[in-house]
Amino acid sequence: MALQLSLLMALVVFSCGPLPSLSCDLPQRQVLVDRKTFVLLGQMGRISPFSCLKGRTDFRFPREMVDGSQVQKSQAKFVLHEMFQQIFNIYHTEGSSAAWNMTLLDQLLSTLREQLEDLEACLLQEMGEEETLQGMEGPVLAMRRYFQGIRLYLQEKKYSDCAWEVVRMELRRCLLFITQLERNIMK
């Protein structure tokens, strides 16, 4: 069942196809890197998510990100950057290296680094200082609160295997929201 769910989620991400840029010519490879991140998180699973059902929680992903109604186009890249930065930070902690296969973890961190570098280059290319400050408001702060909740959850659960598994599944969902945000912003 878990394998079927993972395959279904992967098909959803892969079927999204190439996304147009967010008024910056992000390399086509950005879409491939997004998919690679999703697949790597899928491969990192070591225990059955069903064995961790008691530990599940609602991290309260900011719903305004899903429909894009609260995210202006000028803020979209900042939100995406913040999301990738936060995912990178979560997997770049001390406790993370003990929980995961190091080869997969290194690949994930490398892939996230690529995404961040592409987004940073894009932001620097087209944003002035005033726009940079505006990008740090509202939706970006909502994303920081969301990821702070994930970090607190890991701490409260003492970075247990089940806690990491719950977070891994949540971050895979988060990647689906990233895809949806990118699509909605481009409408």
Side-chain angles (χ1 to χ4, degrees):
M1 180 70 173
L3 178 61
Q4 289 174 341
L5 180 62
S6 293
L7 289 173
L8 180 61
M9 289 179 77
L11 285 173
V12 169
V13 170
F14 289 154
S15 69
C16 292
L19 296 171
S21 71
L22 301 172
S23 75
C24 175
D25 292 330
L26 287 175
Q28 181 65 25
R29 126 184 118 94
Q30 182 72 24
V31 173
L32 297 174
V33 173
D34 288 353
R35 291 175 183 164
K36 184 177 179 182
T37 303
F38 184 83
V39 170
L40 282 168
L41 279 174
Q43 292 172 343
M44 289 173 69
R46 295 184 333 169
I47 59 177
S48 168
F50 297 110
S51 66
C52 301
L53 289 177
K54 287 183 183 176
R56 281 187 14 207
T57 187
D58 180 4
F59 292 106
R60 300 189 184 267
F61 186 86
R63 293 292 172 200
E64 65 269 18
M65 302 302 160
V66 177
D67 65 12
S69 63
Q70 303 273 326
V71 181
Q72 300 171 12
K73 285 186 180 189
S74 62
Q75 294 174 316
K77 287 185 204 97
F78 290 100
V79 171
L80 293 172
H81 183 273
E82 185 66 27
M83 292 170 85
F84 288 122
Q85 183 66 58
Q86 293 291 337
I87 294 170
F88 179 87
N89 291 346
I90 285 171
Y91 282 101
H92 198 261
T93 62
E94 254 180 65
S96 182
S97 61
W100 306 111
N101 171 304
M102 285 306 295
T103 302
L104 291 174
L105 180 60
D106 288 343
Q107 288 176 2
L108 176 68
L109 292 173
S110 175
T111 301
L112 289 168
R113 210 173 287 118
E114 285 178 44
Q115 288 168 311
L116 287 166
E117 288 169 1
D118 287 347
L119 282 167
E120 286 168 6
C122 184
L123 288 169
L124 289 174
Q125 171 187 333
E126 63 179 37
M127 300 292 174
E129 187 174 320
E130 185 175 318
E131 290 170 313
T132 301
L133 293 174
Q134 289 175 352
M136 297 304 290
E137 298 171 354
V140 171
L141 295 177
M143 291 312 306
R144 286 185 180 168
R145 284 189 296 275
Y146 165 72
F147 282 100
Q148 179 64 25
I150 292 173
R151 280 190 295 283
L152 289 173
Y153 172 82
L154 282 168
Q155 288 173 353
E156 288 170 6
K157 300 292 183 177
K158 297 181 177 27
Y159 300 93
S160 71
D161 287 345
C162 268
W164 275 113
E165 181 59 23
V166 168
V167 167
R168 182 186 72 83
M169 294 304 293
E170 177 69 14
L171 294 179
R172 288 190 84 204
R173 280 188 49 226
C174 183
L175 287 171
L176 294 174
F177 287 128
I178 287 172
T179 301
Q180 187 64 40
L181 173 64
E182 290 172 331
R183 289 181 154 245
N184 286 336
I185 295 300
M186 291 311 301
K187 287 183 180 176

